[in-house]
Amino acid sequence: MATAQLTTDRLAEKHRSTLDQALDTIRTRAYWSPYPEHPKAYGADGSLDAAAGLAAHQSLLNTRFDLDQPGTDGWTGAETSPYGPSLGIEYPHADLDVLLPAMRAGMGAWRDAGAETRALVCLEILARISARTHEFAHAVMHTSGQAFMMAFQAGGPHAQDRGLEAVAYAYAEQTRTPAGRAGWSKPQGKRDPLELSKEFTPVGRGIALVIGCNTFPTWNGYPGLFASLATGNPVLVKPHPRAVLPLALTVEVAREVLAESGFDPNLVALAVERPGEGIAKTLAVRPEIRIIDYTGSTAFGDWLEANARQALVYTEKAGVNTVVVDSTDDYKGMLANLAFSLSLYSGQMCTTPQNLLIPRDGITTDQGPKSYDEVVADLAAAVGGLLGDDARANGLLGALVNPDVKARLEAAAGLGEVALASREVVNPEYPDAVVRTPVIVKLDGTKPDAEAAYFSECFGPVSFAVSVDSTADALELLRRTVREKGAMTVGAYTTSADTERAVEEVCLEESAQLSLNLTGGVYVNQTAAFSDFHGSGGNPAANAALCDGAFVSNRFRVVEVRRQA
């Protein structure tokens, strides 16, 4: 007991103020982050600078990544960077019948530690990950295809923010009920009162499974991982087979911190599949798995929701993100903002706009009326100008994450009139990288054959400029899209108060997150932890939001013990 108290005191001294600030920020929704965004901020206080981070990454290549997990029955790994090189790393393959019982063994001590200690241990894990951000950035870059700066920020501090946000929500939900014993006394008139002593303990549900994605392994993986761990659950991390390294590093750090803090390191473990093994389906229906977090295709997300009946299933699936263009008082700013949103990471974000709904009679702007054709041509020119320099293009686009994205991009050109053709960009550092600029295709929103194209997700650097009869028709199409297909994001440009209210009403009724009139350095496909909700959980694109109370509150139950006073 003394050792646990010393551990708590040490961690509280390091991290309690960070936890308090996170708790305050999820209430105020202000901007805040304890994790630096700039690469030059690292290198002091034991953190890795750029050179040390690269060296640490390179030291892992063509090696065996040993986590000392129970039940290891072999080794596997077949990651190839979207930039070309094979990583050559082997990871432990688990005998689930050995590993899963071992993970449950530490639950009692982890439960008894209490919400604060669990939160502080999680913050120590995040702090150590933050110190290795440069190393993690290379791991994310060479598994997701993100350009380095995006991998550094989105895969590093922004992912860490989302993890911390989940810990803050988990702590807040667990501490709604008083910790320790509470006295209860019910008056009985002339008789002695009825008196009980009551104790309330948050108890985790069981092993949580995180099914990682290829494009954002840490950003999408950390909310579920830390929400489950902070609420008392062991966490088994099953990475996407093409993006193992970032989550393997995460598991390594978590196991190290748990052991040093006096807890069973098997509370966090890694499950890597052999080529073609497909263990996600096997794991998802095992009785030991009580929570599942998943980001990926609609088809597998739907399968999980239908078949993993023993578990709580949190999914982020596909949607059709839409922008309504009605009018603007900053035409140049609107075009620049949209061009960047369409280009960032080659459109391989679940928040990237796909459909641009534009009245066929055109829009009003600060530069005078603009026809549908002019708007589309000007947007194409803005994208072309943004990506005209190959060095800049490589920095924004990254690489296509897999051949399926390339195939969709090439097929899109045959769906309608091409307003902006995709072009190949050579990456001089990585000549095998597949880098392509976005394609913009014009479609008539009134034609059924066009609807087949724009009414389904086309993941990657593909956008459809859809002509509609009026803004009212655009809003009706928006409503139907969100209701039937889902959307992670909605954008709109208008100078009309009535139209603005109408767009808001659609998004409120259909539970879609809305961004209005973005013309500066904030983009519809970016969200800030502690302030923005990623998804709403209220439309088919996702059944949960990152992050709110609902995302964490059902990962534990409060168990009461009553004693006669």
Side-chain angles (χ1 to χ4, degrees):
M1 188 69 180
T3 301
Q5 184 59 48
L6 286 171
T7 298
T8 300
D9 290 345
R10 175 176 60 84
L11 294 175
E13 183 178 352
K14 292 179 67 176
H15 302 304
R16 182 68 220 202
S17 62
T18 301
L19 178 60
D20 288 340
Q21 183 64 59
L23 291 166
D24 183 64
T25 308
I26 62 175
R27 288 189 291 267
T28 64
R29 317 307 294 183
Y31 170 76
W32 172 74
S33 172
Y35 308 116
E37 279 188 324
H38 200 287
K40 291 184 178 179
Y42 296 82
D45 303 322
S47 64
L48 300 181
D49 62 13
L54 176 59
H57 170 72
Q58 291 176 334
S59 72
L60 296 173
L61 303 180
N62 303 304
T63 65
R64 180 166 283 183
F65 199 104
D66 193 354
L67 290 168
D68 194 26
Q69 291 184 172
T72 297
D73 62 7
W75 299 87
T76 186
E79 293 162 291
T80 297
S81 169
Y83 289 93
S86 170
L87 302 192
I89 303 173
E90 288 188 317
Y91 303 95
H93 182 273
D95 180 340
L96 299 177
D97 291 329
V98 176
L99 179 59
L100 293 177
M103 294 184 70
R104 286 190 58 87
M107 279 190 71
W110 188 236
R111 173 200 65 217
D112 294 343
E116 181 179 24
T117 295
R118 287 194 294 272
L120 293 172
V121 170
C122 287
L123 264 64
E124 176 68 13
I125 295 170
L126 285 164
R128 295 196 192 183
I129 291 172
S130 176
R132 296 169 64 177
T133 292
H134 272 284
E135 179 184 1
F136 272 77
H138 289 285
V140 172
M141 174 182 174
H142 286 289
T143 53
S144 71
Q146 295 175 29
F148 178 79
M149 186 54 70
M150 184 175 185
F152 183 92
Q153 293 184 336
H158 297 171
Q160 296 151 24
D161 284 340
R162 284 297 183 190
L164 175 56
E165 177 186 47
V167 173
Y169 272 101
Y171 179 82
E173 293 298 323
Q174 290 174 97
T175 54
R176 289 184 185 277
T177 303
R181 295 190 178 185
W184 183 86
S185 180
K186 180 179 179 180
Q188 297 292 300
K190 294 181 179 180
R191 293 175 292 169
D192 290 339
L194 299 176
E195 294 187 343
L196 294 173
S197 172
K198 302 183 180 184
E199 189 171 6
F200 305 92
T201 303
V203 176
R205 286 185 172 270
I207 298 175
L209 173 65
V210 174
I211 302 175
C213 69
N214 194 173
T215 49
F216 288 89
T218 55
W219 198 98
N220 279 111
Y222 283 5
L225 191 164
F226 284 99
S228 288
L229 190 61
T231 50
N233 304 282
V235 181
L236 180 61
V237 179
K238 204 299 290 183
H240 191 284
R242 287 192 293 261
V244 178
L245 182 56
L247 291 178
L249 289 168
T250 303
V251 170
E252 178 185 55
V253 174
R255 291 174 63 83
E256 173 187 88
V257 172
L258 285 164
E260 290 181 16
S261 303
F263 298 103
D264 190 337
N266 296 322
L267 286 165
V268 178
L270 187 73
V272 182
E273 61 193 280
R274 296 187 175 106
E277 186 178 9
I279 61 171
K281 279 191 174 182
T282 302
L283 280 167
V285 296
R286 286 192 64 124
E288 302 96 328
I289 302 299
R290 305 304 303 276
I291 302 167
I292 298 174
D293 288 276
Y294 168 75
T295 300
S297 72
T298 296
F300 191 60
D302 289 345
W303 185 92
L304 288 170
E305 292 169 1
N307 291 278
R309 308 305 287 270
Q310 85 292 347
L312 294 168
V313 179
Y314 299 89
T315 59
E316 181 191 313
K317 301 178 288 189
V320 177
N321 301 319
T322 301
V323 177
V324 174
V325 182
D326 169 74
S327 53
T328 180
D329 57 8
D330 184 359
Y331 187 61
K332 183 178 179 180
M334 179 188 78
L335 295 174
N337 192 278
L338 286 173
F340 189 93
S341 297
L342 300 181
S343 303
L344 184 62
Y345 185 32
S346 300
Q348 298 171 122
M349 303 172 70
C350 63
T351 50
T352 300
Q354 174 180 299
N355 294 344
L356 309 174
L357 308 185
I358 307 168
R360 68 180 71 257
D361 291 336
I363 66 172
T364 58
T365 79
D366 57 317
Q367 297 183 16
K370 297 289 183 180
S371 69
Y372 163 82
D373 288 331
E374 287 176 312
V375 173
V376 178
D378 290 344
L379 178 59
V383 174
L386 177 68
L387 303 176
D389 176 75
D390 281 3
R392 180 179 176 85
N394 276 304
L396 283 174
L397 296 170
L400 300 188
V401 71
N402 62 53
D404 291 342
V405 176
K406 181 173 178 285
R408 280 192 293 270
L409 171 64
E410 292 171 346
L415 297 174
E417 180 186 345
V418 175
L420 176 67
S422 176
R423 72 178 181 90
E424 181 177 355
V425 178
V426 175
N427 187 317
E429 188 175 0
Y430 300 101
D432 292 332
V434 179
V435 184
R436 299 290 188 273
T437 62
V439 62
I440 301 176
V441 178
K442 297 166 75 171
L443 295 174
D444 187 335
T446 64
K447 293 185 177 179
D449 58 338
E451 181 174 308
Y454 67 73
F455 210 59
S456 59
E457 187 195 33
C458 191
F459 184 76
V462 177
S463 297
F464 299 117
V466 182
S467 63
V468 293
D469 288 338
S470 66
T471 296
D473 289 321
L475 295 182
E476 191 52 43
L477 179 54
L478 169 65
R479 181 188 298 278
R480 190 160 65 91
T481 302
V482 177
R483 180 177 296 173
E484 297 182 24
K485 299 297 182 178
M488 295 299 293
T489 59
V490 172
Y493 291 88
T494 183
T495 57
S496 163
D498 289 341
T499 299
E500 183 173 317
R501 283 192 296 271
V503 176
E504 287 183 25
E505 190 63 23
V506 170
C507 291
L508 289 169
E509 291 179 355
E510 305 302 331
S511 295
Q513 310 293 19
L514 172 63
S515 297
L516 283 164
N517 297 319
L518 298 183
T519 57
V522 176
Y523 304 95
V524 67
N525 42 351
Q526 296 174 322
T527 57
F530 312 107
S531 183
D532 295 323
F533 293 110
H534 177 73
S536 70
N539 69 65
N543 71 2
L546 305 180
C547 183
D548 60 9
F551 185 69
V552 300
S553 60
N554 212 16
R555 295 172 190 260
F556 69 96
R557 308 313 297 158
V558 176
V559 177
E560 175 184 358
V561 176
R562 301 190 298 180
R563 294 179 174 86
Q564 189 72 43

